[in-house]
Amino acid sequence: MKEYALVLEGGGAKGAYQIGAIKALYERGYKFNVIVGTSIGAINAAFLCQDGVETIERLWQTLSFSDIMNIEDEFVQKVMDKQIDFSVVKELRNNINKALKDRGIDTALMRKLLNQYLDEEKIRNSNVRFGLVTFCISDMKPQEVFIEDIPKGQLVDYLLASSNLPVFKRAKIDKKIFLDGGAFDNCSVEMLYNAGYKNIIALRLFTKNKIRNYSTLIKNKDLCLKMFAPSVELPYILNFETNNLNRLLEYGYFDTIKQLDKLDGYYYTFNKISEKDIAKLLENLNPNISLNLVNMLGIKYKAGQNIIDVAKEKAILKMSKYASQKSSKILKRQIISIVEYVAKKENININKIYDFNKFLNIVKQKIINNKEKNLKSNVEKAMYYFIESI
């Protein structure tokens, strides 16, 4: 397999997803001769250039808020769980006041962590070239630099500059002030192309953010660009809660396998589902079930209409629109979105490759066992009824 240049998008705690994704790519034989990144993407890139995925995966698995910010994990967990009492409000106010007084959250713990686990000399001597993007506020200019452009002993300084979110104290290098590289280019495909790399893989962390000058880049016939992006929007960029990071690691792996093998599913991953599989499922949609669904959803129909057709054309569409927050005319997508919505609500493990029919049985069993479903709307009630019935 040919070697690629790899670019890692910035995105804070979402960066755990990238390490799961890169594991999937490594397993499939992908090789990289250069890795560049912005913000957390730059930090991930440095570790990958140093010794592959091993160290950075272990770090993400055990990372927590208290490792990178001067905040107690217990306090953060209470905020995440919305357990807001007087003591939490008081501590939150104190943290905000301290950050304002210090002109941002101190990054000393992040520096300590990077100094502890990164070996600058190894990265300089690596067979994989390293690069990053940051933005110099003092000069009002972006800096797109490769390892050979970074003065010796200043790698960690540049990493902190690249990942200097506006909530942090401003990063300084040689008396100049820097800001997170995302202020200029959060997914530096252009940097690699301008450096002469034409076979590029981009590991995204956002589903909607645009790549800088993307429309111009894709017009270049010599550019071969492959992109892997999360199938669903990932959690908040500052959610460094350990369990969340581990979920993202696993999700990045399975989500990328899904894209590599062109499997089905959005939030979940399924072996290929054929149109015949969907048609067979809907054979159970008899007139009685169809009528109940249509009435539960308040769908109007005329006397003499085929009620099964009404259920297929209108009821399933309405449920899938509610489940995915968007409309699709493809029946298979509609069914998948409904089943996934209920599965997610029932906390079924996301990090696994499922056979769709077996998965549907798992969801049904969960519904049967769950006596307190806490359904918020008639649409949710209809979705549960629909899955139980098919």
Side-chain angles (χ1 to χ4, degrees):
M1 184 178 282
K2 63 185 175 184
E3 288 190 321
Y4 287 87
L6 177 65
V7 54
L8 304 179
E9 186 171 32
K14 297 173 190 270
Y17 173 95
Q18 281 175 343
I19 301 307
I22 195 94
K23 274 188 73 175
L25 291 173
Y26 282 158
E27 283 184 10
R28 295 306 173 87
Y30 282 85
K31 295 180 180 178
F32 306 101
N33 53 10
V34 57
I35 306 177
V36 304
T38 302
S39 195
I40 195 63
I43 292 173
N44 279 342
F47 278 97
L48 291 169
C49 290
Q50 174 180 283
D51 53 12
V53 77
E54 187 177 341
T55 302
I56 187 61
E57 181 183 26
R58 190 168 61 247
L59 196 54
W60 277 113
Q61 286 170 339
T62 56
L63 197 66
S64 67
F65 280 99
S66 59
D67 291 317
I68 55 175
M69 301 179 200
N70 194 20
I71 302 174
E72 291 296 325
D73 290 324
E74 186 180 350
F75 163 72
V76 176
Q77 192 59 56
K78 283 184 178 180
V79 174
M80 300 293 291
D81 294 340
K82 298 179 182 177
Q83 297 176 12
I84 310 298
D85 56 20
F86 178 75
S87 64
V88 172
V89 172
K90 184 178 178 181
E91 189 170 350
L92 185 61
R93 184 182 62 199
N94 290 340
N95 285 327
I96 292 171
N97 288 338
K98 187 177 188 307
L100 290 171
K101 185 179 178 182
D102 295 340
R103 296 187 178 181
I105 298 170
D106 191 4
T107 57
L109 288 174
M110 292 173 63
R111 179 179 292 277
K112 181 181 176 183
L113 201 67
L114 295 176
N115 281 327
Q116 181 180 351
Y117 289 100
L118 278 178
D119 186 330
E120 183 174 332
E121 202 58 35
K122 269 190 177 182
I123 296 168
R124 290 187 180 277
N125 295 326
S126 174
N127 292 326
V128 185
R129 190 183 185 195
F130 167 74
L132 62 76
V133 179
T134 184
F135 188 85
C136 181
I137 297 177
S138 301
D139 298 334
M140 289 305 292
K141 287 181 180 178
Q143 287 198 12
E144 300 171 297
V145 294
F146 288 99
I147 188 65
E148 61 270 22
D149 305 315
I150 298 172
K152 287 189 176 182
Q154 292 190 349
L155 174 60
V156 169
D157 294 329
Y158 273 81
L159 288 171
L160 289 172
S162 180
S163 55
N164 193 256
L165 292 167
V167 296
F168 296 138
K169 288 179 72 171
R170 291 282 70 84
K172 290 184 180 180
I173 303 175
D174 299 329
K175 297 183 179 180
K176 290 187 177 182
I177 302 172
F178 288 80
L179 182 64
D180 191 288
F184 173 70
D185 191 353
N186 203 40
C187 190
S188 45
V189 172
E190 190 176 36
M191 172 185 173
L192 284 172
Y193 184 80
N194 290 340
Y197 297 98
K198 302 299 187 285
N199 297 310
I200 301 171
I201 289 178
L203 283 185
R204 311 296 307 275
L205 291 176
F206 294 90
T207 57
K208 296 177 183 176
N209 288 17
K210 293 181 180 178
I211 290 177
R212 182 180 176 82
N213 292 332
Y214 178 71
S215 58
T216 302
L217 283 167
I218 58 173
K219 290 177 183 177
N220 297 311
K221 293 182 179 178
D222 59 343
L223 172 63
C224 173
L225 175 62
K226 294 184 179 184
M227 286 196 291
F228 295 91
S231 297
V232 296
E233 196 66 51
L234 301 179
Y236 183 51
I237 63 171
L238 289 179
N239 186 357
F240 286 94
E241 192 267 325
T242 307
N243 289 332
N244 174 61
L245 300 179
N246 278 277
R247 282 192 294 269
L248 285 175
L249 278 168
E250 291 192 359
Y251 182 58
Y253 175 82
F254 284 101
D255 196 37
T256 305
I257 290 290
K258 175 168 58 185
Q259 294 175 57
L260 286 167
D261 293 351
K262 294 181 171 54
L263 302 179
D264 281 314
Y266 306 102
Y267 191 75
Y268 290 87
T269 304
F270 307 113
N271 290 319
K272 290 295 288 182
I273 307 167
S274 70
E275 299 298 335
K276 287 183 179 178
D277 293 330
I278 297 299
K280 195 170 182 180
L281 280 178
L282 295 180
E283 286 177 2
N284 293 326
L285 202 62
N286 60 38
N288 186 48
I289 294 169
S290 299
L291 183 60
N292 288 339
L293 274 174
V294 168
N295 288 335
M296 288 172 81
L297 292 166
I299 294 170
K300 294 181 180 179
Y301 57 93
K302 295 179 181 178
Q305 271 189 291
N306 186 320
I307 198 66
I308 294 177
D309 289 342
V310 175
K312 286 181 180 178
E313 293 168 13
K314 295 185 178 181
I316 291 175
L317 176 62
K318 186 169 183 176
M319 290 186 291
S320 70
K321 209 170 178 181
Y322 183 96
S324 63
Q325 300 300 305
K326 56 186 177 184
S327 182
S328 173
K329 294 180 180 179
I330 300 171
L331 185 59
K332 184 171 87 169
R333 290 182 182 176
Q334 293 172 1
I335 300 294
I336 291 172
S337 66
I338 295 166
V339 174
E340 285 194 337
Y341 181 92
V342 175
K344 190 176 178 183
K345 195 171 173 64
E346 293 297 320
N347 296 314
I348 293 173
N349 182 18
I350 184 178
N351 296 315
K352 190 176 177 181
I353 300 173
Y354 292 96
D355 170 85
F356 188 68
N357 288 318
K358 291 180 180 176
F359 182 78
L360 191 57
N361 287 331
I362 293 170
V363 178
K364 285 181 181 179
Q365 196 58 50
K366 277 276 190 178
I367 292 173
I368 292 167
N369 294 339
N370 183 1
K371 303 301 180 185
E372 297 180 9
K373 295 184 176 62
N374 190 27
L375 304 181
K376 299 176 182 177
S377 67
N378 287 335
V379 183
E380 285 191 350
K381 290 175 185 176
M383 284 194 277
Y384 271 70
Y385 174 73
F386 174 68
I387 290 173
E388 284 183 281
S389 300
I390 61 170

mmCIF file of all heavy atoms in Angstrom, residues 22 47 62 124 127 131 140 164 176 222 232 256 288 320 363:
data_model
loop_
_atom_site.group_PDB
_atom_site.id
_atom_site.type_symbol
_atom_site.label_atom_id
_atom_site.label_comp_id
_atom_site.label_asym_id
_atom_site.label_seq_id
_atom_site.Cartn_x
_atom_site.Cartn_y
_atom_site.Cartn_z
ATOM 1 N N ILE A 22 -7.177 6.031 13.920
ATOM 2 C CA ILE A 22 -5.847 5.701 13.384
ATOM 3 C C ILE A 22 -5.504 4.241 13.634
ATOM 4 O O ILE A 22 -4.843 3.594 12.819
ATOM 5 C CB ILE A 22 -4.756 6.639 13.965
ATOM 6 C CG1 ILE A 22 -3.464 6.552 13.151
ATOM 7 C CG2 ILE A 22 -4.414 6.325 15.376
ATOM 8 C CD1 ILE A 22 -3.358 7.571 12.098
ATOM 9 N N PHE A 47 2.747 12.506 19.172
ATOM 10 C CA PHE A 47 2.865 11.174 19.783
ATOM 11 C C PHE A 47 2.940 10.083 18.722
ATOM 12 O O PHE A 47 3.704 9.127 18.853
ATOM 13 C CB PHE A 47 1.682 10.912 20.716
ATOM 14 C CG PHE A 47 1.835 11.516 22.084
ATOM 15 C CD1 PHE A 47 1.266 12.733 22.392
ATOM 16 C CD2 PHE A 47 2.571 10.859 23.066
ATOM 17 C CE1 PHE A 47 1.409 13.300 23.654
ATOM 18 C CE2 PHE A 47 2.718 11.398 24.332
ATOM 19 C CZ PHE A 47 2.139 12.620 24.632
ATOM 20 N N THR A 62 -6.516 6.977 30.233
ATOM 21 C CA THR A 62 -6.416 7.292 31.666
ATOM 22 C C THR A 62 -6.532 8.782 31.963
ATOM 23 O O THR A 62 -6.509 9.193 33.124
ATOM 24 C CB THR A 62 -5.068 6.783 32.223
ATOM 25 O OG1 THR A 62 -3.992 7.345 31.461
ATOM 26 C CG2 THR A 62 -4.991 5.260 32.137
ATOM 27 N N ARG A 124 12.190 14.259 16.293
ATOM 28 C CA ARG A 124 13.086 14.850 15.278
ATOM 29 C C ARG A 124 13.744 13.762 14.422
ATOM 30 O O ARG A 124 14.010 13.981 13.238
ATOM 31 C CB ARG A 124 14.148 15.721 15.952
ATOM 32 C CG ARG A 124 13.596 16.996 16.552
ATOM 33 C CD ARG A 124 14.663 17.928 17.068
ATOM 34 N NE ARG A 124 14.027 19.134 17.627
ATOM 35 C CZ ARG A 124 13.636 20.170 16.917
ATOM 36 N NH1 ARG A 124 13.812 20.170 15.605
ATOM 37 N NH2 ARG A 124 13.070 21.224 17.498
ATOM 38 N N ASN A 127 11.005 8.518 11.381
ATOM 39 C CA ASN A 127 10.831 8.336 9.939
ATOM 40 C C ASN A 127 9.562 9.026 9.439
ATOM 41 O O ASN A 127 9.355 9.136 8.232
ATOM 42 C CB ASN A 127 10.739 6.840 9.611
ATOM 43 C CG ASN A 127 12.056 6.126 9.846
ATOM 44 O OD1 ASN A 127 13.121 6.703 9.637
ATOM 45 N ND2 ASN A 127 11.994 4.882 10.290
ATOM 46 N N GLY A 131 4.403 17.984 11.715
ATOM 47 C CA GLY A 131 4.128 19.402 11.476
ATOM 48 C C GLY A 131 2.902 19.865 12.233
ATOM 49 O O GLY A 131 2.078 19.048 12.674
ATOM 50 N N MET A 140 0.068 38.743 13.868
ATOM 51 C CA MET A 140 -1.189 38.534 13.142
ATOM 52 C C MET A 140 -0.955 37.694 11.890
ATOM 53 O O MET A 140 -1.459 37.976 10.803
ATOM 54 C CB MET A 140 -1.841 39.873 12.773
ATOM 55 C CG MET A 140 -2.405 40.621 13.966
ATOM 56 S SD MET A 140 -3.587 39.625 14.959
ATOM 57 C CE MET A 140 -4.955 39.470 13.830
ATOM 58 N N ASN A 164 -3.797 26.363 21.967
ATOM 59 C CA ASN A 164 -4.141 27.398 22.932
ATOM 60 C C ASN A 164 -5.535 27.960 22.671
ATOM 61 O O ASN A 164 -5.704 29.003 22.037
ATOM 62 C CB ASN A 164 -3.097 28.528 22.894
ATOM 63 C CG ASN A 164 -3.222 29.458 24.078
ATOM 64 O OD1 ASN A 164 -3.719 30.565 23.960
ATOM 65 N ND2 ASN A 164 -2.773 29.001 25.222
ATOM 66 N N LYS A 176 6.500 36.410 21.967
ATOM 67 C CA LYS A 176 5.363 36.594 21.066
ATOM 68 C C LYS A 176 4.189 35.751 21.560
ATOM 69 O O LYS A 176 4.376 34.662 22.103
ATOM 70 C CB LYS A 176 5.729 36.214 19.633
ATOM 71 C CG LYS A 176 6.707 37.202 18.992
ATOM 72 C CD LYS A 176 6.910 36.891 17.509
ATOM 73 C CE LYS A 176 7.820 37.933 16.866
ATOM 74 N NZ LYS A 176 7.992 37.692 15.417
ATOM 75 N N ASP A 222 -4.124 16.568 -9.309
ATOM 76 C CA ASP A 222 -3.073 15.715 -8.744
ATOM 77 C C ASP A 222 -3.280 15.435 -7.256
ATOM 78 O O ASP A 222 -2.508 14.710 -6.632
ATOM 79 C CB ASP A 222 -1.687 16.341 -8.965
ATOM 80 C CG ASP A 222 -1.553 17.731 -8.330
ATOM 81 O OD1 ASP A 222 -2.598 18.333 -8.008
ATOM 82 O OD2 ASP A 222 -0.415 18.198 -8.169
ATOM 83 N N VAL A 232 -21.571 10.796 13.622
ATOM 84 C CA VAL A 232 -22.459 11.637 14.431
ATOM 85 C C VAL A 232 -21.620 12.726 15.084
ATOM 86 O O VAL A 232 -20.400 12.605 15.199
ATOM 87 C CB VAL A 232 -23.190 10.824 15.521
ATOM 88 C CG1 VAL A 232 -24.109 9.786 14.898
ATOM 89 C CG2 VAL A 232 -22.204 10.149 16.469
ATOM 90 N N THR A 256 -14.607 4.144 12.008
ATOM 91 C CA THR A 256 -13.697 4.145 10.856
ATOM 92 C C THR A 256 -13.736 2.809 10.129
ATOM 93 O O THR A 256 -13.688 2.771 8.889
ATOM 94 C CB THR A 256 -12.264 4.487 11.310
ATOM 95 O OG1 THR A 256 -12.287 5.741 12.021
ATOM 96 C CG2 THR A 256 -11.329 4.619 10.120
ATOM 97 N N ASN A 288 -53.596 -4.171 11.174
ATOM 98 C CA ASN A 288 -53.875 -3.781 12.554
ATOM 99 C C ASN A 288 -52.727 -2.948 13.138
ATOM 100 O O ASN A 288 -52.939 -1.893 13.736
ATOM 101 C CB ASN A 288 -54.114 -5.035 13.407
ATOM 102 C CG ASN A 288 -54.562 -4.672 14.815
ATOM 103 O OD1 ASN A 288 -55.459 -3.845 14.989
ATOM 104 N ND2 ASN A 288 -53.925 -5.265 15.807
ATOM 105 N N SER A 320 -38.790 8.456 11.591
ATOM 106 C CA SER A 320 -37.366 8.580 11.243
ATOM 107 C C SER A 320 -36.911 10.032 11.277
ATOM 108 O O SER A 320 -35.782 10.342 11.643
ATOM 109 C CB SER A 320 -37.098 7.975 9.865
ATOM 110 O OG SER A 320 -37.673 8.754 8.843
ATOM 111 N N VAL A 363 -32.610 -5.147 20.816
ATOM 112 C CA VAL A 363 -33.400 -3.952 21.135
ATOM 113 C C VAL A 363 -34.790 -4.355 21.653
ATOM 114 O O VAL A 363 -35.281 -3.811 22.645
ATOM 115 C CB VAL A 363 -33.538 -3.037 19.895
ATOM 116 C CG1 VAL A 363 -34.403 -1.824 20.230
ATOM 117 C CG2 VAL A 363 -32.173 -2.582 19.406
#
